[in-house]
């Protein structure tokens, strides 16, 4: 981390007030300088060979490959506790991790708006380098485009990822069974509230920071201890409510939420009450909803609480035979209400 921070400071001082121009996306000398002097110092080269349009990489002897891709268009590009750089790494890592795979390699596609300050780009690249180091993945290939002013909002990033899934690991919605418990690894809604505050449109003051984080080590901890995981999904756009509805409809089961067990920071709850938002639908970027057999759920919960990414884990719901394909919440006051799939978008461009 110290090396990345030192590099970032050196580059920011070197480029001063310079900004990205269309020449930096022309494929000529300026673009080569951008790649050699700004991008590669953070991500390195996959080999000592000259750069090509692909990376040739070793893989373990056995297992299956997992691959995913995602694009990140969040606004603003920096927000409390995180940035589009962290999101681009952790989001793709988590899409692989929730299959049970060990993420290995990522690509990085940058679409940069003309006029972006070099200092801002360097900050984001440093965030990506730190996130990749923490998640133990390598950025091995990429692409850089520069577009006219107004064609994108400062910076869009696409990352694709490859991971390896061991033979025998096979979780998925079809494995969900009546009686299973559903666990989440901490407070929900932090990312959505952090983005709201960063936009400054609502004069909202809050100390909440994004929960953006890689989930690989938390999931691998459970797998290494032999916890059978029937299904798992990272909880992002649409929030916990959307993931639980996907479970209910995909498996043809009912899900009963215990409202009193859902971890929510008081500050997030307060923002939701003021703005009329439901925290169950708020976005997260470091949360996973795990479906665990009842006889292993308590052990899984205790293991999760030993991990930095799961210290506030909770058992929030149960898979039931009633109200098939629907999610129902048992309130603190004894009543019940249907929790439907999110319709529309509570807050666009959050990831």
């Amino acid at each position: 981390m110290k090396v990345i921070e030192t590099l970032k400071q050196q580059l920011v001082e070197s480029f001063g007030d310079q900004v990205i121009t269309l020449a930096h996306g022309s494929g000529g000398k300026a673009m080569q300088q951008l790649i050699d002097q700004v991008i590669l110092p953070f991500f390195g080269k996959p080999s000592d060979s000259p750069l090509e349009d692909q990376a040739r990489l070793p893989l373990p002897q056995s297992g299956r490959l997992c691959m995913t891709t995602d694009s990140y268009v969040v606004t603003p590009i920096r927000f409390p506790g995180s940035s589009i750089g962290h999101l681009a790494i952790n989001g793709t890592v988590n899409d692989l991790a929730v299959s049970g795979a060990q993420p290995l390699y990522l690509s990085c596609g940058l679409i940069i708006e003309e006029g972006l300050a070099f200092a801002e780009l360097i900050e984001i690249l440093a965030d990506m380098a730190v996130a990749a180091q923490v998640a133990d993945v390598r950025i091995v290939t990429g692409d850089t485009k520069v577009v006219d002013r107004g064609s994108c909002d400062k910076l869009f990033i696409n990352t694709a990822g490859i991971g390896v899934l061991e033979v025998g690991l096979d979780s998925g919605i079809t494995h969900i069974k009546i009686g299973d418990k559903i666990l989440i690894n901490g407070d929900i809604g932090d990312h959505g509230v952090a983005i709201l505050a960063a936009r400054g449109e609502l004069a909202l003051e809050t100390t909440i920071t994004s929960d953006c984080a890689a989930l690989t080590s938390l999931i691998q901890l459970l797998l290494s201890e032999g916890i059978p995981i029937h299904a798992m999904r990272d909880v992002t756009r649409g929030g916990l409510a959307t993931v639980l509805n996907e479970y209910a409809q995909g498996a043809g089961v009912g899900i009963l939420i215990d409202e009193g067990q859902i971890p929510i920071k008081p500050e997030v709850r307060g923002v939701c009450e003021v703005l009329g938002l439901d925290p169950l639908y708020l976005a997260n970027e470091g949360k996973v909803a795990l479906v665990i057999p009842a006889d292993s759920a308590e052990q899984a919960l205790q293991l999760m609480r030993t991990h930095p990414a799961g210290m506030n884990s909770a058992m929030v719901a149960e898979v039931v035979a009633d109200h098939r394909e629907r999610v129902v919440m048992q309130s603190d006051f004894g009543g019940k209400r249907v929790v439907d799939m999110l319709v529309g978008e509570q807050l666009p461009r959050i990831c």
Side-chain angles (χ1 to χ4, degrees):
M1 305 296 181
K2 188 175 180 180
V3 173
I4 295 172
E5 184 62 26
T6 301
L7 173 63
K8 182 176 74 173
Q9 295 302 326
Q10 290 173 344
L11 288 174
V12 168
E13 291 174 7
S14 174
F15 282 88
D17 296 330
Q18 294 183 54
V19 299
I20 297 288
T21 69
L22 289 176
H24 290 106
S26 66
K29 187 175 180 180
M31 183 172 180
Q32 194 61 50
Q33 288 176 336
L34 172 65
I35 293 171
D36 290 342
Q37 297 177 14
V38 179
I39 297 175
L40 286 182
F42 286 110
F43 302 159
K45 293 171 63 178
S47 70
D48 293 332
S49 303
L51 289 178
E52 299 187 70
D53 287 339
Q54 73 291 128
R56 301 163 198 183
L57 307 162
L59 287 173
Q61 295 298 314
S62 62
R64 289 168 290 164
L65 285 180
C66 286
M67 183 174 180
T68 185
T69 186
D70 209 339
S71 298
Y72 299 87
V73 297
V74 65
T75 184
I77 60 174
R78 299 193 70 79
F79 42 89
S82 193
S83 74
I84 191 173
H86 293 126
L87 278 177
I89 300 299
N90 291 330
T92 296
V93 162
N94 290 343
D95 284 344
L96 292 169
V98 293
S99 72
Q102 180 70 50
L104 295 176
Y105 304 115
L106 267 60
S107 70
C108 167
L110 300 171
I111 300 175
I112 309 171
E113 185 180 25
E114 178 190 20
L116 178 70
F118 263 92
E120 282 192 273
L121 177 63
I122 290 166
E123 290 276 357
I124 298 301
L125 293 173
D127 288 346
M128 294 181 75
V130 169
Q133 193 173 97
V134 171
D136 196 20
V137 294
R138 290 188 63 197
I139 301 167
V140 294
T141 189
D143 180 54
T144 303
K145 296 288 191 299
V146 179
V147 297
D148 296 308
R149 292 175 190 267
S151 295
C152 76
D153 193 354
K154 287 192 173 183
L155 177 66
F156 294 161
I157 301 176
N158 173 272
T159 46
I162 292 177
V164 172
L165 183 63
E166 288 186 16
V167 174
L169 281 178
D170 188 21
S171 67
I173 285 179
T174 56
H175 298 283
I176 295 174
K177 293 180 170 54
I178 305 298
D180 286 350
K181 306 293 185 182
I182 299 176
L183 282 56
I184 192 160
N185 61 311
D187 300 324
I188 63 171
D190 292 8
H191 179 71
V193 170
I195 294 289
L196 264 175
R199 290 183 181 173
E201 298 168 351
L202 302 171
L204 187 65
E205 292 186 9
T206 173
T207 60
I208 296 295
T209 58
S210 170
D211 62 338
C212 184
L215 296 165
T216 314
S217 59
L218 174 67
I219 292 169
Q220 291 296 321
L221 170 64
L222 297 175
L223 294 174
S224 67
E225 293 296 326
I227 300 295
I229 301 175
H230 282 175
M232 51 182 158
R233 285 197 174 183
D234 52 336
V235 183
T236 56
R237 282 182 300 175
L240 180 61
T242 296
V243 171
L244 296 184
N245 270 280
E246 289 171 351
Y247 284 161
Q249 294 168 19
V253 297
I255 290 179
L256 181 63
I257 306 173
D258 184 345
E259 183 180 28
Q261 296 302 311
I262 298 174
I264 306 173
K265 289 186 175 68
E267 198 168 352
V268 170
R269 193 184 296 279
V271 169
C272 288
E273 289 175 357
V274 169
L275 300 179
L277 300 174
D278 188 335
L280 286 175
Y281 296 100
L282 282 180
N284 311 268
E285 288 295 341
K287 295 295 176 293
V288 57
L290 299 124
V291 184
I292 307 289
D295 57 2
S296 298
E298 188 58 36
Q299 183 189 359
L301 187 63
Q302 295 309 317
L303 280 169
M304 291 166 69
R305 287 173 175 168
T306 67
H307 191 281
M311 296 179 70
N312 202 23
S313 295
M315 198 178 304
V316 296
E318 179 180 6
V319 180
V320 297
D322 297 335
H323 51 80
R324 288 183 181 271
E325 299 189 14
R326 304 188 80 175
V327 177
V328 171
M329 185 158 73
Q330 178 81 53
S331 76
D332 294 342
F333 303 105
K336 291 183 178 180
R337 71 174 174 93
V338 173
V339 177
D340 211 344
M341 186 82 78
L342 176 65
V343 177
E345 189 82 78
Q346 279 200 138
L347 185 64
R349 293 192 56 193
I350 52 166
C351 62

